[in-house]
Amino acid sequence: MKYFKHKTSIIDKGCKIGKGSKIWHWSHISKKSIIGENCNLGQNVYVGENVKIGNNVKIQNNVSIYQGVKIEDNVFCGPSVVFTNVKYPIANKPVNKKKYQKTVIKKGSTLGANSTIICGVKIGKNSVIGAGAVITKTVKDNSVVAGNPAKEIGKVYLGKIKIYKKPNKKI
């Protein structure tokens, strides 16, 4: 086997998993999904049908990546990041899978713990999403965003983060 799969994980038929990747406890990889090389999927990660995950991606515990989401190379998803694929779901009305909105996480991005990525957006290259942020609009390359709804608060330049203005300290 070219990759590691914990004995409690489920990997459906038709998946492609790259060399050196690790799938940890109680994770489920759905059919026709592609996971690149040297990826690390933590405990209780769900990867939906037809999801594509690039190389060197780290997905922390309790993340569900639904159909319609594409994650490029070198992305970090913090614990409990939330992805959606339908903007206005209704329990008693089924959604045609062809109507799932596309979400793209560009290479080198970092998604902070508990951030929520509303479907239909693109997270630009090398962007940083603050913990707990709610992303409702496309994020430009090299941006630092935080808040609900998320707003740009800084830039990433040559791998360093520059924050425009420090938030007021309120406890």
Side-chain angles (χ1 to χ4, degrees):
M1 190 178 313
K2 298 184 225 171
Y3 61 89
F4 170 81
K5 170 199 171 293
H6 189 270
K7 64 183 178 180
T8 60
S9 292
I10 299 168
I11 298 176
D12 292 349
K13 290 182 180 181
C15 295
K16 294 180 183 175
I17 301 174
K19 184 172 101 179
S21 289
K22 296 176 182 172
I23 315 294
W24 289 100
H25 307 72
W26 303 294
S27 293
H28 181 185
I29 314 303
S30 296
K31 63 185 178 181
K32 300 179 187 172
S33 293
I34 299 170
I35 297 172
E37 294 183 357
N38 301 311
C39 293
N40 193 343
L41 279 65
Q43 178 176 299
N44 194 38
V45 170
Y46 172 75
V47 177
E49 287 183 40
N50 300 306
V51 167
K52 184 172 183 194
I53 297 172
N55 299 317
N56 306 307
V57 172
K58 185 167 187 175
I59 300 169
Q60 297 286 63
N61 298 349
N62 304 311
V63 176
S64 293
I65 305 165
Y66 300 110
Q67 186 170 338
V69 176
K70 178 183 178 186
I71 298 176
E72 293 185 353
D73 297 342
N74 305 310
V75 168
F76 176 86
C77 290
S80 303
V81 167
V82 175
F83 291 97
T84 66
N85 60 6
V86 177
K87 225 171 223 177
Y88 304 106
I90 298 171
N92 64 350
K93 293 188 179 181
V95 176
N96 182 335
K97 289 181 180 182
K98 292 177 183 174
K99 294 192 177 189
Y100 287 159
Q101 293 193 26
K102 305 292 182 214
T103 300
V104 178
I105 312 303
K106 301 297 276 182
K107 69 180 186 175
S109 294
T110 295
L111 309 179
N114 293 303
S115 57
T116 299
I117 316 300
I118 302 299
C119 57
V121 301
K122 181 175 15 171
I123 305 297
K125 288 191 304 189
N126 304 313
S127 291
V128 176
I129 309 303
V134 178
I135 306 301
T136 59
K137 297 178 181 169
T138 290
V139 174
K140 296 176 186 172
D141 292 351
N142 305 301
S143 294
V144 179
V145 301
N148 179 6
K151 292 183 177 28
E152 187 174 296
I153 62 165
K155 284 288 187 189
V156 177
Y157 181 71
L158 298 175
K160 295 184 180 180
I161 296 174
K162 171 74 174 154
I163 303 299
Y164 301 139
K165 180 181 174 184
K166 302 262 185 208
N168 294 333
K169 290 186 179 180
K170 290 184 181 178
I171 297 179

